């Protein structure tokens, strides 16, 4: 018998005795009667998010400030170009990395810097030595201040995590309300064939492993900038 | 008494008396409490969320065979190789085999408690492969050649000065007292390792049955890099990690981050559905998922404690445990420490040798209250005590309890005992603090309060008359 059959056999044998439903034994004040069916809508318990775009944008901005993400609403492409150029100048970018996309194509044309494209196979050290990785995304999540990227929307796996500065270009209609909405959107978009990697990025890379003191840029980007048009 | 228990008692005693260690842990955890409570308050209803999480995990664990098969068929369909391992040895052998087959020389490892559990890094190193831990805390304890101190914060017990000295000795970096500078030293060193590694190893926080994905949570981005750059990725996953649907993550990701690290949600939550697919520019050519039993089906068979398999390894119960806060993570000498470790270890390594952990608890219930998936931890500690006694109860303990029962059933004897105690305490000073002291276990580090001459009963009777 294969190891698979043996493990599954042990599981089935073990499950012949039913286990008590959770929530009945825990201490006073914690008893919550079990639901009839296992819950599927978590919104009533998760943090509150407003319905209008303004409320969502305000919450995203508040979360970003806390996470040390630089979140900026931009009115049009001209403003995006001005802001990108200012950023490139302030940080002295010499080379950027990006992937093909409507917004990214515009950004790299506007910047006029040498570029590493991760659309096809690329050289790892070329990407590693880039000053910024500019990507698009699948969604922004107001509830948590997160960016949703996938191998398809953000030029593969490494582009959004290897360069020291990750710049996200998003559209206004991509700003979703909460995590349930984000997962629904992923299902709708990719349900038939998921990309090999999807990621919820929430702020620049961080660690608290030394004396529980927050340090940004542990392994991933030290900075995360999000432009929402 | 077994030797493991003796060592535990001795280390625990030493750590409890180490005031520097204690103040250090209190300080580190103090910040955590504030952040956790603030993040909990953002939930509209944390208690309801816990109940929902517990019910979803209950569903997953009580239909484990169904969900595992679903997970495996989905993830295999995307070109992932799945290996089932009944024991840690089988899992190690398989992963060493994959490394040999592909002539792997160096491996970057993202934090995986399952790896600690089966001593995977040691097995790989023995076969001549370099294994580098990439989580900063894990990297630090790896350089120190010691075990993690905490499930989530492995290097919580060290100061920046100790880490600076360590880096200076092992990496040749200049001494510094800035945590940021120290992090950058590690970042530079590990960047080279990522780019050169042939294989990346990770664990998984969840395995999604519905879509056939693993979900991996990190803050540093090491999970992303370890699974993006090397040409082979191996994920070592306990079979109990399954969640039924992708949507369930909308609840579990914020709860894990809140209870585990006092964050609203962790920095990188990565969902991996297979190796590099056609038309994708990068990612590993091979993706292996190793499903590990290693005693989990034994625990599953114990219906009373089955909910222990709901654990999402957030470490929340460690952070609130008065025992953990006093004796520290290393005293346990187990892979999983704190309350969850004390419940799990006897099941995984044997009750006879590890039963002392069930007694290392004040049964205050703080762990149960902290658990985001409502594992009934302190009752399980009690059940393990009961089971240990059922195995073999020492004669002297039976005698003591028989004496106690006699005393309690005879009021006259009891009153006589109280008087004798008051009388006897006058002579206590002669033996106090020595080995002859009958209450030495108490008086070695505490004062015994004086017994009153008259009992409350005496007082009450006089007052009534």
């Amino acid at each position: 018998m294969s190891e698979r059959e043996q493990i599954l056999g042990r599981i089935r044998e073990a499950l012949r005795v039913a286990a008590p439903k959770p929530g009945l034994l825990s201490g006073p004040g914690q008893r919550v009667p079990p639901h009839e069916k296992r819950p599927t809508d978590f919104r009533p318990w998760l943090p509150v998010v407003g319905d209008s775009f303004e409320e969502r944008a305000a919450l995203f901005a508040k979360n970003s400030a806390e996470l040390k993400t630089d979140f900026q609403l931009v009115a049009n492409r001209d403003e995006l170009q001005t802001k990108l150029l200012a950023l490139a100048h302030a940080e002295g970018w010499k080379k950027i990395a990006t992937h093909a996309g409507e917004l990214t194509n515009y950004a790299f044309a506007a910047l006029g810097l040498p570029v590493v494209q991760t659309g096809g196979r690329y050289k790892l050290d070329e990407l590693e030595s880039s000053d910024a990785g500019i990507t698009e995304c699948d969604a922004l999540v107001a509830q948590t201040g997160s960016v949703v990227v996938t191998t398809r929307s953000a030029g593969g796996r490494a582009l959004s995590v290897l360069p020291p500065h990750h710049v996200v270009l998003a559209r206004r209609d991509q700003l979703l309300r909460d995590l349930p909405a984000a997962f629904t959107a992923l299902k709708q978009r990719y349900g038939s064939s998921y990309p090999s990697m999807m990621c919820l990025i929430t702020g620049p890379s961080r660690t608290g492993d030394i004396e529980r003191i927050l340090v940004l840029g542990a392994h991933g980007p030290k900075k995360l900038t999000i432009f929402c048009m | 008494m077994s030797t493991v228990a003796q060592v535990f008692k001795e280390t625990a005693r030493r750590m409890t008396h180490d005031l520097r260690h204690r103040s250090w842990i209190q300080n580190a955890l103090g910040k955590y409490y504030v952040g956790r409570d603030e993040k909990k308050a953002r939930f509209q209803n944390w208690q309801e969320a816990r109940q929902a999480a517990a019910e979803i995990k209950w569903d997953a664990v009580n239909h484990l065979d169904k969900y595992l098969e679903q997970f495996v068929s989905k993830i295999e369909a995307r070109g992932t190789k799945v290996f089932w391992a009944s024991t840690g040895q089988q899992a190690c052998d398989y992963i060493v085999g994959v490394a040999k087959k592909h002539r792997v020389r160096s491996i970057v490892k993202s934090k995986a408690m399952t790896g600690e559990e089966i001593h995977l890094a040691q097995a790989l190193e023995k076969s001549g492969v370099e294994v580098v831990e990439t989580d900063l805390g894990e990297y630090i304890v790896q350089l120190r050649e010691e075990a993690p101190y905490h499930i989530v914060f492995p290097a919580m017990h060290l100061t920046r000065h100790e880490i600076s000295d360590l880096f200076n000795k092992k990496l040749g970096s200049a001494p510094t007292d800035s945590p940021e500078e120290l992090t950058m030293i590690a970042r530079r060193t590990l960047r080279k390792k990522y780019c050169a590694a042939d294989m990346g190893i990770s664990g998984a926080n969840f395995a999604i049955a519905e879509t056939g994905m693993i979900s991996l949570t990190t803050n540093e981005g090491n999970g992303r890099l370890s699974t993006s750059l090397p040409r082979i990725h191996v994920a070592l996953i306990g079979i109990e990690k399954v969640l039924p649907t992708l949507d369930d993550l909308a609840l579990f990701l914020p709860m894990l981050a809140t209870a585990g690290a006092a964050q609203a949600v962790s920095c990188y939550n990565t969902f991996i559905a297979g190796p590099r697919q056609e038309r994708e520019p990068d990612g590993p050519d091979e993706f292996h998922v190793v499903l590990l039993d290693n005693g989990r089906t034994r625990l599953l068979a114990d219906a009373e404690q089955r909910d222990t398999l709901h654990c999402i390894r957030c470490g929340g119960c460690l952070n609130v445990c008065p025992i953990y806060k006093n004796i520290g993570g290393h005293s346990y000498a187990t892979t999983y420490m704190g309350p969850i470790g004390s419940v799990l270890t006897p099941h995984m390594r044997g009750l006879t040798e590890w039963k002392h952990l069930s007694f290392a608890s004040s049964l205050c219930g703080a762990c149960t209250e902290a658990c985001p998936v409502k594992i009934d931890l302190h009752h399980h500690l009690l059940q393990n005590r009961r089971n240990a006694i059922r195995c073999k109860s020492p004669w002297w303990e039976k005698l003591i309890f028989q004496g106690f029962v006699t005393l309690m059933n005879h009021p006259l004897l009891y009153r006589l005992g109280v008087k004798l105690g008051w009388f006897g305490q006058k002579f206590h000073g002669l033996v106090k603090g020595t080995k002859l002291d009958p209450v030495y276990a108490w008086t070695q580090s505490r004062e015994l309060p004086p017994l009153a001459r008259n009992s409350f009963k005496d007082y009450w009777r006089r007052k009534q008359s």
Side-chain angles (χ1 to χ4, degrees):
Chain A
M1 199 162 42
S2 72
E3 216 57 49
R4 173 194 168 116
E5 289 314 313
Q6 284 193 24
I7 293 176
L8 286 171
R10 283 200 296 271
I11 291 172
R12 287 182 188 126
E13 181 63 34
L15 291 178
R16 282 165 60 170
V17 184
K21 286 261 190 178
L24 296 172
L25 278 171
S26 299
Q30 296 192 52
R31 280 165 199 257
V32 179
H35 298 85
E36 287 282 312
K37 276 179 76 183
R38 62 84 105 196
T40 47
D41 178 18
F42 313 126
R43 283 210 173 100
W45 315 312
L46 292 174
V48 194
V49 190
D51 267 331
S52 70
F53 175 80
E54 283 67 31
E55 282 171 296
R56 276 181 265 161
L59 183 60
F60 196 94
K62 181 173 159 273
N63 282 326
S64 295
E66 205 173 276
L67 293 161
K68 308 208 188 319
T69 303
D70 184 9
F71 172 62
Q72 301 190 34
L73 284 168
V74 290
N76 51 43
R77 293 196 169 190
D78 292 339
E79 195 185 344
L80 176 67
Q81 180 173 21
T82 319
K83 291 209 158 157
L84 272 173
L85 284 170
L87 199 59
H89 182 73
E91 295 194 351
W93 291 353
K94 292 189 184 64
K95 182 171 66 176
I96 55 160
T98 189
H99 62 99
E102 194 200 332
L103 292 171
T104 43
N105 286 350
Y106 174 76
F108 101 82
L111 280 166
L113 288 167
V115 67
V116 184
Q117 286 278 4
T118 64
R121 287 260 165 170
Y122 58 89
K123 280 205 175 116
L124 188 60
D125 52 344
E126 284 285 312
L127 178 61
E128 213 269 326
S129 59
S130 300
D131 297 301
I134 303 179
T135 74
E136 295 184 4
C137 66
D138 286 276
L140 303 177
V141 185
Q143 189 175 50
T144 53
S146 310
V147 187
V148 183
V149 297
T150 63
T151 42
R152 271 176 234 168
S153 69
R157 293 196 189 194
L159 176 60
S160 54
V161 77
L162 203 56
H165 191 159
H166 179 200
V167 180
V168 178
L169 308 177
R171 292 186 320 271
R172 191 187 145 100
D173 60 335
Q174 288 181 315
L175 179 55
L176 303 179
R177 195 175 135 186
D178 52 14
L179 288 174
F183 285 111
T184 307
L186 283 175
K187 264 188 189 166
Q188 274 168 1
R189 185 157 182 200
Y190 300 116
S192 53
S193 156
Y194 285 100
S196 75
M197 195 263 340
M198 312 196 287
C199 185
L200 205 63
I201 300 175
T202 312
S205 156
R206 61 196 55 223
T207 185
D209 274 351
I210 302 175
E211 295 192 11
R212 309 283 300 121
I213 292 166
L214 177 72
V215 178
L216 297 181
H219 292 294
K222 297 171 191 178
K223 284 181 149 184
L224 175 64
T225 304
I226 302 168
F227 291 112
C228 183
M229 296 228 292
Chain B
M1 193 187 282
S2 63
T3 47
V4 191
Q6 276 164 355
V7 172
F8 172 74
K9 227 174 160 180
E10 193 36 56
T11 330
R13 193 197 327 271
R14 205 180 56 243
M15 293 311 282
T16 314
H17 287 102
D18 185 344
L19 293 181
R20 192 201 71 96
H21 169 260
R22 270 170 80 163
S23 73
W24 186 245
I25 296 307
Q26 305 283 359
N27 176 38
L29 289 174
K31 292 180 202 164
Y32 160 85
Y33 298 140
V34 176
R36 178 201 58 186
D37 291 344
E38 194 244 324
K39 298 299 182 306
K40 259 162 94 167
R42 290 187 194 180
F43 277 77
Q44 293 178 67
N45 194 331
W46 174 256
Q47 292 304 343
E48 282 277 4
R50 285 178 75 212
Q51 177 65 24
E55 285 176 27
I56 292 168
K57 271 287 183 179
W58 187 93
D59 174 33
V61 167
N62 285 279
H63 304 94
L64 192 57
D65 51 338
K66 180 182 103 185
Y67 287 125
L68 270 178
E69 285 190 306
Q70 192 185 3
F71 167 73
V72 168
S73 78
K74 287 273 178 187
I75 204 164
E76 275 180 341
R78 309 296 302 281
T80 308
K81 296 186 170 119
V82 176
F83 180 79
W84 299 69
S86 287
T87 65
Q89 190 60 47
Q90 286 172 354
C92 283
D93 290 347
Y94 176 76
I95 298 169
V96 168
V98 172
K100 278 206 175 126
K101 186 180 151 210
H102 292 276
R103 298 173 196 283
V104 167
R105 279 157 303 150
S106 67
I107 296 176
V108 280
K109 187 169 161 288
S110 153
K111 202 156 108 50
M113 289 310 290
T114 40
E116 299 287 335
E117 181 185 319
I118 66 170
H119 306 292
L120 176 60
Q122 289 85 331
L124 284 160
E125 275 162 1
K126 226 198 270 167
S127 77
V129 190
E130 182 196 42
V131 183
V132 184
E133 294 286 350
T134 56
D135 174 83
L136 179 58
E138 286 276 344
Y139 181 57
I140 291 166
V141 295
Q142 187 190 33
L143 287 179
R144 280 174 63 93
E145 294 170 28
E146 65 183 16
Y149 182 86
H150 187 287
I151 300 178
V152 179
F153 318 119
M156 193 172 86
H157 59 305
L158 299 171
T159 65
R160 61 183 82 181
H161 306 290
E162 286 165 310
I163 295 165
S164 169
D165 289 347
L166 176 75
F167 281 3
N168 177 263
K169 210 170 88 195
K170 299 271 178 163
L171 306 174
S173 62
T176 170
D177 61 0
S178 145
E180 182 162 7
E181 190 52 43
L182 288 166
T183 306
M184 291 310 133
I185 293 167
R187 178 186 168 104
R188 285 194 293 271
T189 315
L190 290 170
R191 261 301 157 104
K192 292 184 202 128
K193 301 285 184 191
Y194 287 120
C195 294
D198 310 295
M199 185 195 264
I201 295 179
S202 75
N205 297 82
F206 305 102
I208 312 300
E210 175 195 30
T211 55
M213 287 174 195
I214 65 161
S215 169
L216 189 62
T217 298
T218 70
N219 270 313
E220 300 179 356
N222 56 325
R224 288 283 307 276
L225 290 169
S226 310
T227 59
S228 295
L229 307 184
R231 57 194 162 88
I232 304 156
H233 171 204
V234 178
L236 177 63
I237 308 170
I239 51 170
E240 83 285 15
K241 290 282 170 204
V242 285
L243 274 186
T245 72
L246 187 63
D247 291 331
D248 293 336
L249 290 173
L251 181 68
F252 278 88
L253 297 179
M255 290 192 79
L256 172 65
T258 301
Q263 289 175 291
V265 65
S266 312
C267 195
Y268 295 99
N269 285 298
T270 313
F271 320 121
I272 297 173
R276 183 172 74 89
Q277 303 291 302
E278 220 177 298
R279 285 186 300 150
E280 287 182 349
D282 53 6
D285 299 325
E286 277 191 22
F287 177 36
H288 300 255
V289 165
V290 179
L291 290 170
L292 181 69
D293 178 345
N294 203 30
R296 285 165 174 80
T297 45
R298 208 163 43 230
L299 184 52
L300 192 73
D302 183 347
E304 192 175 46
Q305 296 192 35
R306 189 176 292 159
D307 67 346
T308 311
L309 291 170
H310 297 184
C311 178
I312 56 173
R313 305 280 188 267
C314 69
C317 59
L318 281 61
N319 300 339
V320 297
C321 177
I323 308 299
Y324 181 87
K325 283 193 278 185
N326 277 300
I327 70 173
H330 285 151
S331 303
Y332 292 86
T334 55
T335 309
Y336 305 103
M337 51 295 266
I340 185 67
S342 297
V343 173
L344 273 175
T345 311
H347 287 278
M348 301 177 87
R349 299 194 189 171
L351 185 58
T352 319
E353 205 182 354
W354 294 91
K355 64 169 187 266
H356 58 278
L357 293 179
S358 321
F359 295 88
S361 162
S362 59
L363 299 177
C364 65
C367 46
T368 307
E369 198 182 317
C371 179
V373 290
K374 284 194 150 178
I375 302 171
D376 211 352
L377 287 160
H378 70 295
H379 284 111
H380 294 337
L381 287 169
L382 263 177
Q383 289 151 2
N384 276 345
R385 289 186 190 186
R386 179 201 64 202
N387 298 346
I389 295 302
R390 265 188 200 159
C391 292
K392 190 175 165 232
S393 162
W395 61 269
W396 51 266
E397 205 170 283
K398 278 187 194 148
L399 198 71
I400 288 177
F401 273 103
Q402 271 165 16
F404 180 75
V405 167
T406 317
L407 202 66
M408 287 297 135
N409 280 331
H410 297 85
L412 209 69
L413 268 181
Y414 178 82
R415 265 157 60 198
L416 188 71
V418 172
K419 292 283 176 211
L420 274 176
W422 170 79
F423 184 71
Q425 199 180 26
K426 288 184 190 304
F427 305 99
H428 186 215
L430 298 174
V431 290
K432 193 172 152 193
T434 71
K435 294 279 174 191
L436 287 173
D437 189 346
V439 284
Y440 177 71
W442 180 270
T443 54
Q444 61 174 326
S445 59
R446 282 159 291 212
E447 279 297 327
L448 197 65
L451 297 177
R453 177 171 190 169
N454 292 311
S455 67
F456 178 75
K457 205 169 171 178
D458 293 338
Y459 161 81
W460 191 251
R461 189 172 290 152
R462 223 173 306 130
K463 200 165 176 248
Q464 295 295 75
S465 61

